[in-house]
Amino acid sequence: MGKAGGIHKFDGRRVEWVKQEVYTKLKFAAIIPDFGLKTEDARACLPTEVSHKDAVFNLSRAALFSASLLTGKYENLRTAVNDRLHQPFRSKLIPNCDEVFDIAYTHGAYAAYISGAGPTVMAIVDDKNEYFAGRVKFSLDNAGITGWNVHEFGIDNDGTAIL
């Protein structure tokens, strides 16, 4: 993570995309447990069909996420990362997942979400929150949630370049 993203669509022949610059006032924190989660297990726990209501819920959050990053309205990110398609199911495979989210929010995260199939939890944080990683690690250990580490990453809006 840490790379600025974009919006893209691939129809099997052509990619249409829009680059999205992310304000560098943010950083990402990867909260990583000392256990793994097999991708096939993370996929197997997902329902084979989703309701129209849940699909609309996620699409509206995706739009809010992008718009919030573009406009700097970071207070919207917590709502924007709410998910009904994978997190409620995958979080059950990650011991203490809800507590990790709560601790991240307690220490000022704008958003916390499961990264990909998990088990890493990502947090989006103000870059001025310089003690976030240490405070989260301390709180996890203090709560008896041991074996988790926190690594912070800055944002790179340029990405890979060939010189």
Side-chain angles (χ1 to χ4, degrees), residues 6-161:
I7 301 168
H8 70 278
K9 179 189 91 127
F10 179 61
D11 65 8
R13 291 176 284 139
R14 182 176 153 190
V15 174
E16 297 176 26
W17 61 276
V18 175
K19 182 176 179 177
Q20 179 174 325
E21 298 272 330
V22 178
Y23 294 112
T24 54
K25 293 197 262 181
L26 299 174
K27 61 184 172 183
F28 290 86
I31 308 168
I32 307 166
D34 62 355
F35 57 85
L37 176 58
K38 292 183 180 179
T39 302
E40 53 266 21
D41 293 340
R43 286 185 183 147
C45 77
L46 301 177
T48 56
E49 294 183 13
V50 298
S51 71
H52 182 265
K53 183 179 177 181
D54 287 346
V56 168
F57 179 93
N58 267 53
L59 283 172
S60 68
R61 293 329 185 259
L64 179 64
F65 186 85
S66 242
S68 298
L69 285 178
L70 284 171
T71 61
K73 291 190 63 79
Y74 306 133
E75 66 274 11
N76 292 338
L77 293 176
R78 185 172 183 163
T79 299
V81 296
N82 284 334
D83 168 272
R84 290 186 183 167
L85 303 184
H86 85 101
Q87 283 192 160
F89 309 101
R90 289 180 171 158
S91 66
K92 293 175 183 162
L93 301 177
I94 304 169
N96 303 303
C97 187
D98 292 339
E99 291 86 351
V100 173
F101 277 40
D102 290 344
I103 288 170
Y105 285 124
T106 295
H107 293 295
Y110 289 120
Y113 56 92
I114 297 172
S115 179
T120 296
V121 171
M122 292 298 294
I124 302 174
V125 183
D126 190 295
D127 73 346
K128 291 185 177 94
N129 189 343
E130 59 187 291
Y131 302 110
F132 180 81
R135 288 178 175 156
V136 167
K137 176 67 173 144
F138 177 82
S139 292
L140 289 168
D141 289 344
N142 196 42
I145 306 170
T146 58
W148 291 67
N149 289 300
V150 185
H151 301 281
E152 293 182 344
F153 302 94
I155 293 174
D156 176 359
N157 280 309
D158 295 326
T160 303

